[in-house]
Amino acid sequence: TQRLNNKDFDDYNTVMYGHNMNNGTGFHDLHKFRDPEFFNENRFIYIYTPDEILIYKTFGAYIFTNAHILYTYDFSDEDGFQSYLYLINSYPADNYDHSIEPTTDDRILTLSTCTNSESTRLLVQAKLMYRAACPYGESGEVPELIFSEEGLPKEDTSIIRK
């Protein structure tokens, strides 16, 4: 994550930057989210930390300005975050799922990588849907979660909390 973000993924907007490497590494594959079929078939992002598993659902993939998001937009309070949400909700997008429209009660993840233009970046954004606290067993293994057809853990999975 960016130094401006807390490492607990609890900021209004956690931003992760990665290079679009020509050899296919880094965030190169983020560009696949511009394809509607790929976007619809790959809706979940799983983040594993030492303490949690975080599950996000993608709601947008689009070309944005090259502005440094955390320096340019105010995420210090709910009003600043709301202004940013209005902006991205109205921004022209390759793929944007308005049924997942985040609110100020939500936390979002922004994955950002370069494009072929110095003035733009590709953003893939997702809303935090679930957090699994203390997901690791005594020997360090990740427990097997039981997922629904929608890609989220089933409600009867005991470690999941919203």
Side-chain angles (χ1 to χ4, degrees):
T1 64
Q2 282 284 286
R3 275 185 297 194
L4 297 172
N5 281 129
N6 292 315
K7 301 302 177 213
D8 63 4
F9 289 82
D10 205 34
D11 291 306
Y12 285 115
N13 185 7
T14 299
V15 181
M16 298 176 79
Y17 289 94
H19 289 290
N20 174 17
M21 304 298 289
N22 289 333
N23 67 2
T25 61
F27 275 14
H28 176 270
D29 285 348
L30 278 187
H31 286 272
K32 291 180 180 180
F33 280 93
R34 295 187 68 194
D35 173 60
E37 186 176 338
F38 184 88
F39 180 84
N40 289 322
E41 290 177 358
N42 297 277
R43 297 304 301 274
F44 292 95
I45 298 171
Y46 301 88
I47 304 285
Y48 295 84
T49 74
D51 300 318
E52 297 180 299
I53 297 173
L54 297 101
I55 304 172
Y56 292 85
K57 188 169 187 181
T58 57
F59 63 83
Y62 51 96
I63 301 297
F64 198 67
T65 71
N66 70 345
H68 188 287
I69 294 170
L70 296 175
Y71 285 130
T72 305
Y73 302 99
D74 179 14
F75 295 105
S76 64
D77 60 27
E78 193 172 294
D79 290 337
F81 184 44
Q82 183 63 62
S83 294
Y84 180 76
L85 292 176
Y86 284 137
L87 171 71
I88 63 172
N89 190 39
S90 63
Y91 210 80
D94 295 314
N95 291 298
Y96 199 97
D97 183 349
H98 290 278
S99 71
I100 299 182
E101 202 166 320
T103 70
T104 55
D105 292 329
D106 295 316
R107 299 296 176 260
I108 64 173
L109 174 68
T110 300
L111 305 178
S112 176
T113 194
C114 49
T115 64
N116 291 331
S117 169
E118 290 185 17
S119 63
T120 61
R121 297 192 64 81
L122 172 70
L123 302 184
V124 174
Q125 294 188 298
K127 174 180 163 179
L128 180 63
M129 304 299 285
Y130 288 91
R131 297 179 89 121
C134 304
Y136 304 101
E138 291 178 16
S139 62
E141 78 278 2
V142 177
E144 183 176 336
L145 300 178
I146 302 169
F147 291 95
S148 68
E149 290 179 11
E150 292 80 31
L152 292 173
K154 289 189 176 182
E155 293 299 326
D156 61 354
T157 302
S158 61
I159 63 170
I160 298 299
R161 64 180 170 85
K162 283 188 179 184

